[in-house]
Every structure is written in C-alpha cells, then in structure tokens.
Amino acid sequence: MMKYTFPETFWWGSATSGPQTEGVFEGDGKGDSIWDYWYKKEPERFFNGVGPEKASYVYKTYKEDIQLMKETGHNSYRTSIQWSRLIPEGTGEVNPEAVKFYNSYIDELIANGIEPFINLYHFDMPMALQEKGGWENRETVEAYVAYAEKCFELFGDRVKKWFTHNEPIVPVEGGYLYQFHYPLEVNMKKAVQVAYHEALASALAIQKYREMGQDGEIGIIVNLTPSYPRDENNPEDVKAARIADLFFNRSFLDPAIKGEYPQELVELLREIDHLPDVQPGDKDIIKENTVDLLGVNYYQPRRIKAKESTEKLAEGPMPDDYFDNYDMPGKKMNPYRGWEIYEKGIYDLLINLRDNYSNIPCFISENGMGVEGEERYINEEGVIEDDYRIDFIKGHLKYVHQALEEGVNVKGYHMWTCMDNWSWTNAYKNRYGFISVDLENEGKRTIKKSGRWFKEMTAANGFED
Ligand code: BG6
C-alpha cells in the first residue's frame, strides 16, 4: 500500500462550460452562439438529435446542483460565462437576465465554500460575430476584450480566478481544419489567423484585467497532448513529433507563458506563406501580458511517426503534411471516445512545465473518461458503480503526486465533469460526470460511486492504494 497525500490547500473539484450545462429557456434573453445556430440548421449532426437548448438545465437547477457539488467534495468549480448569454449580439447591450443568473450562481458557489473559477470563452462564438468572420476578423478581438472587461467589472469583486480561453486550439482544429465545429472549414491560412487572434485577445484581456486593478489571478486553459515519437532513436520520427508539438501545444503555450511564438513554428509558417496578419504593437502586447496561472486539460497523448502516407487531407497545406499519426500497438484505450489512456502523460507534461516554462503555477483543469451506456452499471440503489472512473482518477493522481514531489508547481485537480453534460456533437453519448443526469426524467441527478469516492478522497486530501 502506498499513501498519496496532497497539500491542504489543493484545489479539488470539477470543470464544465456554460453551453454544455445551462440550456436555453423562454425569456432568458440569450442570443444564439454558433452551437445554437448549427443545431437549428443540422440537428442530425448531433448524437440522437439532442441540442444545446436542453443541456443539463443548470440555468434552472444550479442551486440544487451546488449542494451536490458539496456532497462530492468540491472546494472549487470551473464553468464559463456564455458570451451570447451576457451580450446576445456579441457587442452592445448587456442582457440583465444573464447578469442576474451569473451573479446568483457565483454567490451561491461562494456561500457554499466552493471557489468559482470562471472562463470567458469555451468554443461558443456569438452567431452575430461569426456572421462577420468570428475569430478570423480582428474586430472580434476588440469585441472580446470589451466582453471580458464587462465580466471583470460585473463579477471581478467575487471571482478571483479568471481564464481567457478553454482549449483555444480546438476552435482552430474543429472550425478550420478538421470540421467538427462550425463553420466547418478546411483552410490552414484561416486556421492560423484564428489562432493568432485568440492568442492576441487573451493577452489584451489580461492587459485589461491588470489595468483595471483587479486583484485576482488570470490565466488560460490549454489542452496539452504530449507528442511521443514512434521511435525515439529515429530522427525523422522525433522531428515529426516535434512539429506536431509546435502546432498543437506550443502554438498557445509559448505565447501564453513566454510571450512569444517558437521560432521554428514561425519559420515553418513563413515557408508556406501562412504567417498571420499582425499589426504594429501586437508583439509587445503578447510579450508583456503573459498569464499568472495555467490550466492544463489532459486526456490523451499524441503518437507520431514520420510522414509515410502520400494521402493529402486537403488541397492546401495542413499540419498533417508534416507527420502521420501512429497507431501504437497495445495502447490502452477508452473505446467509447476512441482516446488512448496514458496516465504517465500527465507527469511528462507537468515536468515539461517545470523545466521549460519557468515552473509556472498550474493545475489540472480537466481530466476525465467519457463512457457510453453507463446505465448497465446501475446497482439496486440506483447508483452507477463506475469503478473504472475511480481507477482512472487514481492512475492519473499518482503521477500528479509524483510531479508534486519533484517540485512541479501544481495546485489542483479538476475532473471533467461534475454532472453528465452535453458534449457538443456527441451530445449525451459519452458520460463524464461524478453525477448522472437522467434525460428521460427531467434531468434527475444521482451521485455515482466515483462522486462518493471523490468526497472521501478530497476530505482526506489523498488516498491509499
Ligand atoms: C475538452 C473540452 O476537450 O474535453 C470539453 O474542454 C469537452 O468541452 C471535453 O466536453 C470532453 O470531450 P468530448 O469531445 O467527449 O466532449
């Protein structure tokens, strides 16, 4: 038996986002985001035709839900403000119903001893802005900074942990490379511009936060997918893995923490004439406004080999022109989501932050396992016995613990997610929560075995195994 003990001050909790939980209700004044719009247009693209207008009804149930957070051992919780709820047209008028809702949600969390971590952007561009190009358009950067300022002004007296984006690479991949987010384009030139504008918007929001004299911390949440070469002794594999790392990890990690882009990435984009449009002064803004705190979402590694296939994913350039994904034999899989489970990846990425990113204060802001058909594990008391999720958490926490012991500045662990939520086009296919949501039964909540275990584990600040 080994004992894994974490610091008394460790942040324990879970994460979600506004669009995946709140739902849309008559009279709530919410404007459409790209998700509302896309769902109305093509509902068949969403698993079982379930859209964002239902989600998990949290707009109505947050007070009861917060009680369940307490019962599952949360001392902190991350959600996002929906830009299209607060400012329905993306710019201009603020929706008073949204202000009431977020004020009450935040107050209720604090009153129950749960610190709110608030994210400003979780894949949910207001449709009115998408119509004008979304992140492709520099005006969206200005609109975003005005929105961020409004959020700081309205809620900054109580919210002390802010995040400018969740996984900013995902709207780039989904919307402009691999077609799983609206606007479903395949265009690397636009993808690069979108990524650049997101990073610039983040730096400008951080600048604004500090200019306003706010006294909390502000950061960004990135999904890190450590890139492992098929063969570490094969220089071509190693180079391919390094390029994948540049595209998918360092494209946001470096500007956010070091205030500059990796030179190798800049050169690579220059060679294919894909550098983004920038304006004088941008470089300094990015340089001077780096994050206080980094959230890291970790689900899976990336296995890479040197390019072997000649198949092109698109007519124009694509990141995949530089590497192939490597289907490593014997890897452990989550078959429902199709993602590899590799616990040591969480340690490797934390050590990388310690050694190459000035040991920035960080926390695991998402880690989780989506499973389909969890009802088959329901016992006589109606509780889902999700032992696989408990094993998944322990497996990762052991490595977080090791990283802590080796000096990594890691301050917490948030699970994806608190209650089963709406997973974009997968809707409610794979369930991730500590708490189940019965969609057939008005969203009835039941704590799963993992939720009870998490409560005990966090009360003890650790576990034995
Ligand atoms: C993260 C996102 O990528 O993973 C969440 O921040 C998402 O929004 C979660 O729901 C799980 O992935 P998915 O695609 O199964 O919903």
Side-chain angles (χ1 to χ4, degrees), residues 20 122-123 166-167 299 337 339 366 416 423-424 432:
Q20 293 179 270
H122 201 123
F123 314 163
N166 174 79
E167 302 189 347
Y299 289 91
R337 189 62 181 84
W339 286 347
E366 286 182 30
W416 187 269
S423 271
W424 316 108
Y432 284 86

Side-chain angles (χ1 to χ4, degrees), residues 316-336:
M318 286 289 273
D320 311 66
D321 297 345
Y322 300 87
F323 57 81
D324 276 350
N325 291 305
Y326 170 52
D327 189 6
M328 188 178 79
K331 64 188 174 188
K332 179 157 84 170
M333 291 295 291
N334 168 356
Y336 312 101

Side-chain angles (χ1 to χ4, degrees), residues 436-447:
S436 67
V437 170
D438 184 354
L439 291 177
E440 314 286 282
N441 206 346
E442 290 174 354
K444 180 169 177 282
R445 278 61 163 142
T446 311
I447 298 179

